[in-house]
Amino acid sequence: MNRAPTSSGGLGSRLFLGLVAGLSLFLVVHNYCGFDLLPTAEEEIPADQIHPDAAEFPKTYVFAFDRSEPDGPHAARSRTRIFQDGAMLAGAPTLAEVVRLVGQGNWAHEPGRIIFSTPDGSDPRVNGKQYLVSYPLLYSHAIGRTAAAVFLLAVAGLHWLGRTRAPTLAAPATSAPTRWRWHLAGAGLLFLAGLYCSTGTLAPYANTTIPHVAKASSYLYNPDHPHFQALFNFLDRRDPATWNSLFVRRILYNVLAYPFMKAAGWEVGGTLASICFNVAAFFIFLFGVRRRIGERGTIFAAWLLALYPGAGYWAGMPYFHALIVPGSLLLMLALVAIAEDPGWRPVLLGSLLMGVANLGYEFFVFFLPATLLLLAWRRRWAAIPVAAALQAAPLLLWTLLLKYHFRFDLTNSNTSAFSVILGSYFDPSDFARWRAILGTVPDVGLDLFFGANFIFLPLLLLVVVALNAVTSRIRPHPAEVALLLAGLALFLFNNLAPEYVNFWQMRGTWIARIYQPVFAAFVWFCARWRQALPPLARPAHAAMCGLFGLLLAGNALIIFGPILNNPLGLSETAFYRFYDHANHANYPANLRHYGRRPIGFPRRADH
């Protein structure tokens, strides 16, 4: 690799910028990853600073508080806690309306104040009890946003200092020809273990909410279980009274899993199919990485994916969400082929694959614009309408068949969410509310960046981006850029919209899961960086391995968190940041009540 002469001044500048990048990233993690890296402060709330909320809510009280980040419109940001005589109030921050209507120890952290109620309804000014408020230090939107900006500037500075160094496109493989296969085998077994440990009562999509409990086994499923089962009933031509139109447009998973479901039953067979599909995509993707990137990149990607919690979150149930991770990986390969191969075959086959995948999940909101961006980038204007038609045709034809042959009414809160958002742009009704929403967008974006892929993979990506400035210096791949831009466009569309009314509120921090497919670009970039990594001095190599080992251990505590009973609370934090759909107390309560039993260890529900 070509290197420019290094002066002591240049080295000092790089060390300084590296230190700045590390410290600012530390504050970014502290402010946006859901756990406190710095100590918490604690203050007593004097009785004379507590005031009644309003005459119509006699059991609700208010005190001024502005020393930590509050919740905002559609942004659950507060990490403040309130204690009564040393016991934390259980109703950790909720909406002010809930506090006023329910009381019973619920409380809300709004800008500039905290609204709270006591568990027994007594007056906190005269009941003789002590009230404390605790909050993390250096936790605010100003500090978080500043830290994020400083991190980006520091990384940009590192790239600028190394501008005279030629980027490394590839590094020669130094491993034996068969070594990567052993890594794939080991990583595959670990991946399979993580999937299995996400089944039964351990399925995160089920045990983080009020679950549907299977009578024969006491395994846990999501409350929407009957809606998912309706897809199998429809495909199996059972009683039409058991069909419904909520998810019927997403039929692909049940078609692929149908033989498993018929052989072992819808629940068990569908779960086994989910595991098989995820494992198959795991190996197909890694063979694609080896072909286009190389063996060292393949090994790195294998271990990243082996401990990726995003697969296990969905894979333990017979639902179409099990296609999100394997679909994203396979479509990323198609996107790379479209970007790198100039012929028509990648466009035709890749677009057709994407079109079929749209029958299983809304991949089109990511991969259709990404494909069109790539083709426009390459000035392949004739291919744009062809790709768009192939990606849209399968879903369009299936929709027409459902509507005119099966007579399904496909209009519901689930299918109309994006059209409602689009309509809000043309009819903004409350500009003051809209301004308040826009003010939260930067923090929401940073929260979603980490939440959508379980904290540690996005964090690892940022570490790799920083290290890339002083090591491999690879340039972004067009497919990576296109997919990330598509994800950014979806985020802005959802979160810049004026206020609207719909059952599915697609803005805010609570539904980070809809941005999950961008993880495929994260993995691809990390694999390319590792492939191009030049030899490092032993101390630097050991430090880098230790850092990556720590990040992978964080992922391991998430994916195996349910069966290990939530060590350090990491799995609970990560699962609810991915999809904050229920009271956080449900997760530990369900693990205690139903036990930690993967498939193969049934127990009757009346046990």
Side-chain angles (χ1 to χ4, degrees), residues 228-381:
F228 293 108
Q229 188 171 13
L231 294 174
F232 175 72
N233 294 341
F234 168 70
L235 195 64
D236 204 41
R237 308 299 293 166
R238 298 188 177 185
D239 182 359
T242 65
W243 306 352
N244 68 54
S245 61
L246 187 61
F247 297 139
V248 73
R249 69 192 186 280
R250 300 168 175 171
I251 197 64
L252 178 64
Y253 175 75
N254 282 265
V255 171
L256 297 176
Y258 188 73
F260 295 86
M261 295 173 174
K262 289 298 286 184
W266 175 64
E267 291 172 347
V268 174
T271 301
L272 293 176
S274 168
I275 292 174
C276 290
F277 297 159
N278 275 273
V279 171
F282 174 87
F283 285 107
I284 293 172
F285 177 77
L286 291 173
F287 276 97
V289 172
R290 180 177 180 267
R291 175 174 174 263
R292 293 192 177 270
I293 296 177
E295 291 181 4
R296 295 201 302 173
T298 302
I299 292 170
F300 195 57
W303 293 108
L304 290 185
L305 289 175
L307 290 170
Y308 174 56
Y313 187 90
W314 306 113
M317 291 162 293
Y319 304 161
F320 57 79
H321 296 93
L323 291 180
I324 294 176
V325 169
S328 299
L329 293 175
L330 297 182
L331 297 188
M332 184 66 194
L333 291 179
L335 209 58
V336 169
I338 291 172
E340 293 183 353
D341 300 341
W344 274 95
R345 184 177 179 182
V347 175
L348 299 176
L349 294 181
S351 297
L352 184 59
L353 174 64
M354 294 175 188
V356 172
N358 291 333
L359 296 175
Y361 187 69
E362 282 80 0
F363 290 110
F364 61 86
V365 298
F366 294 95
F367 289 94
L368 175 57
T371 302
L372 301 186
L373 276 172
L374 281 177
L375 294 174
W377 194 339
R378 300 300 190 195
R379 299 180 182 275
R380 301 189 61 184
W381 310 115

Side-chain angles (χ1 to χ4, degrees), residues 6-15 161:
T6 301
S7 65
S8 59
L11 178 60
S13 298
R14 285 196 293 274
L15 289 174
L161 288 175

